[in-house]
Amino acid sequence: MTHVNILTYILDVNTLTYKTEIDMTVTGPDFLALQARDLERAAAFYEMRLGLRRVPASPPGAVVFDTSPISFAVREPLPGVDLDAASPRPGLGVALWLQAEDAQVVHDELAAAGVPIVAAPDDGPFGRMFTFTDPDGYAITIHDKA
């Protein structure tokens, strides 16, 4: 008669029932794109207001910027996406943070240009930070500490 420890039995059942190893590993974010109502207006906003530069070639229906550590783009909406139906705004629940050398300077320039500021500058664990909304209503947080 073989004696089986109850913990061994539970581990064996779990191994048989649940896959415990992953065949591949996801390493993290690699590309970020916001869907925009008007692609050129959105691209111009990010160029003129935030100083982002377009990469030499972007895929059709998108403008990709030369950002790091991951690429950032604006693109035409995917089929079936209605940004006007997004309530109260597109991207609700997603936290998008962009790093700047001096968040206060960026804030002051955006505020002077009439860009809506939804969270005033404040100091936190990621340096000086504030949140604004882009022309499509996405809330974007700027911070200045790596």
Side-chain angles (χ1 to χ4, degrees):
M1 176 174 204
T2 305
H3 175 60
V4 176
N5 180 316
I6 188 66
L7 292 176
T8 302
Y9 174 75
I10 292 171
L11 289 174
D12 287 343
V13 169
N14 283 341
T15 301
L16 295 173
T17 307
Y18 301 103
K19 186 172 178 146
T20 58
E21 294 183 21
I22 299 174
D23 292 333
M24 67 177 103
T25 302
V26 174
T27 59
D30 187 51
F31 187 80
L32 175 67
L34 297 179
Q35 298 178 71
R37 291 174 184 87
D38 181 326
L39 181 60
E40 279 307 313
R41 179 184 72 160
F45 173 84
Y46 284 99
E47 285 178 309
M48 292 175 14
R49 299 291 176 215
L50 298 183
L52 299 183
R53 287 173 284 161
R54 296 179 190 214
V55 298
S58 292
V63 174
V64 179
F65 298 100
D66 183 16
T67 56
S68 66
I70 63 172
S71 295
F72 172 74
V74 289
R75 60 161 296 138
E76 294 173 349
L78 294 169
V81 172
D82 182 0
L83 293 175
D84 293 325
S87 179
R89 65 177 182 273
L92 183 64
V94 174
L96 174 56
W97 290 52
L98 300 176
Q99 188 174 356
E101 289 181 16
D102 189 329
Q104 187 66 53
V105 169
V106 176
H107 167 271
D108 295 348
E109 290 177 4
L110 291 177
V115 174
I117 306 297
V118 295
D122 194 17
D123 294 318
F126 301 103
R128 192 84 170 147
M129 56 191 184
F130 73 96
T131 304
F132 69 93
T133 56
D134 78 353
D136 288 292
Y138 291 101
I140 313 289
T141 298
I142 301 289
H143 73 101
D144 59 15
K145 181 178 178 185

